Amino acid sequence: MLRTWLSIFLIASAVLAGCGTDSSSETSEESSSSPSLPAPAPIGHAVLNAYPHDTAAFTQGLEVYNDYFFESTGLLGRSSLRKVEIKTGKVVKKIDLPKDVFAEGLTVLNDTLYQLSWQNKLVFMYDAKTLKPLGNLPWSGEGWGITNDGKQLIISEGSDKLYFVQPSTLKINKVLSINDQYGSVNNLNELEMVDGFIYANRWQYDYILKIDPSSGQIVGLLNLSDFLARNSRADLTYLKQKGSVAMESGAVLNGIAYYPKTKSVFITGKLWPEVFELSLK
């Protein structure tokens, strides 16, 4: 009888212990799950100016340096690096890239221009003051957009990832995943650093994202839906002509440049007739 009661006692203890283990496991899982991110805050804007832009320029990168625009244009056989007068849109110097190069993003760090190529796996370098070529560096993947934080280059390649790399070697220091309240955000394209945040065009979307570079969280969104139609004074019918580059390749929003002197942001698009100067709120 004693053995019988002892057996019953041991079985009951095991059941109770098992129940306690299940309960603590569920609590642990709940506490380890991270809360969802807040939705990006809307970014207000005002249009300050509109300046002429070459409608043949398939804009991939835009920078302001020494009071000039520096612009990278894409497409095979048409890719270039340009120095442009801001107010007139006049191209004062132009370097045509090899016909097999599809140029992409552009940034300036320590008086050196870095220009990406899309699938050529090369980053071209130039003296920003003279546009003298300084050679190139190999890049392992595609190149879409590029900016810098004053020390590192930051490169996008069309995914949800940003690559922080050493300027002299392109060795990767950090890979950052970009997320909003729904998860990963892909198609990251042209980039610009503005007051410690990364602003990014997202290919095929009419808005610009504001990204916290320490966390990868999208903290703001600049909605530019129908922006060109609402703000341009030009005849835009050329963008809808059948068989045109605009219809085949897309005259989409692309190109962000920050101007520290006025704390304004310039935006444009591929084949757009204007570059717009915005004040962000």
Side-chain angles (χ1 to χ4, degrees):
M1 180 64 71
L2 181 58
R3 290 180 179 178
T4 301
W5 280 108
L6 183 58
S7 298
I8 293 173
F9 174 80
L10 293 174
I11 293 172
S13 299
V15 170
L16 289 173
C19 291
T21 302
D22 289 342
S23 175
S24 63
S25 176
E26 290 175 2
T27 303
S28 176
E29 288 179 7
E30 289 176 2
S31 62
S32 65
S33 62
S34 58
S36 60
L37 297 175
I43 301 173
H45 71 277
V47 179
L48 302 178
N49 293 293
Y51 300 113
H53 181 245
D54 183 2
T55 55
F58 198 72
T59 306
Q60 301 289 66
L62 188 68
E63 284 290 301
V64 177
Y65 175 80
N66 284 355
D67 298 324
Y68 283 90
F69 284 140
F70 286 80
E71 183 175 16
S72 174
T73 72
L75 297 176
L76 293 175
R78 292 177 52 175
S79 291
S80 69
L81 173 63
R82 304 174 177 206
K83 180 180 181 179
V84 182
E85 289 183 351
I86 291 177
K87 291 186 177 180
T88 67
K90 179 183 177 182
V91 179
V92 296
K93 192 164 186 177
K94 178 170 175 271
I95 296 176
D96 292 318
L97 273 70
K99 292 184 178 181
D100 64 340
V101 172
F102 195 124
E104 288 279 351
L106 185 72
T107 195
V108 184
L109 176 61
N110 297 329
D111 297 323
T112 299
L113 278 162
Y114 295 84
Q115 183 182 30
L116 295 181
S117 60
W118 178 30
Q119 295 178 324
N120 301 86
K121 297 188 177 181
L122 291 173
V123 177
F124 300 94
M125 298 180 296
Y126 311 83
D127 184 309
K129 295 179 180 178
T130 64
L131 292 192
K132 177 184 177 181
L134 299 176
N136 55 64
L137 292 170
W139 176 241
S140 58
E142 291 189 358
W144 286 44
I146 185 170
T147 187
N148 71 84
D149 61 5
K151 295 181 180 180
Q152 306 170 99
L153 300 175
I154 305 169
I155 297 175
S156 68
E157 37 91 65
S159 70
D160 64 314
K161 303 290 192 299
L162 294 181
Y163 297 85
F164 292 68
V165 306
Q166 297 176 12
S168 58
T169 62
L170 302 188
K171 180 181 178 181
I172 297 173
N173 294 331
K174 179 176 74 170
V175 180
L176 186 66
S177 296
I178 309 306
N179 299 275
D180 64 9
Q181 71 274 31
Y182 301 113
S184 300
V185 176
N186 62 3
N187 285 6
L188 299 175
N189 200 4
E190 158 75 334
L191 307 174
E192 181 75 357
M193 184 69 75
V194 180
D195 287 339
F197 291 91
I198 301 170
Y199 282 65
N201 282 126
R202 189 182 182 197
W203 185 53
Q204 296 183 325
Y205 294 85
D206 291 329
Y207 53 70
I208 291 173
L209 304 171
K210 180 181 180 181
I211 300 168
D212 182 341
S214 64
S215 65
Q217 178 182 345
I218 297 172
V219 296
L221 187 145
L222 177 58
N223 189 341
L224 298 172
S225 298
D226 300 318
F227 181 89
L228 185 61
R230 289 186 287 105
N231 292 280
S232 178
R233 296 181 180 180
D235 180 358
L236 301 177
T237 55
Y238 74 95
L239 296 176
K240 299 181 180 180
Q241 292 177 357
K242 291 184 179 180
S244 67
V245 174
M247 290 297 290
E248 292 178 357
S249 301
V252 298
L253 182 72
N254 206 39
I256 313 168
Y258 181 53
Y259 196 30
K261 283 188 178 181
T262 59
K263 293 192 176 296
S264 55
V265 172
F266 294 96
I267 66 154
T268 190
K270 302 174 182 182
L271 313 177
W272 280 24
E274 291 113 342
V275 176
F276 297 91
E277 184 178 7
L278 306 183
S279 173
L280 303 185
K281 301 177 180 178

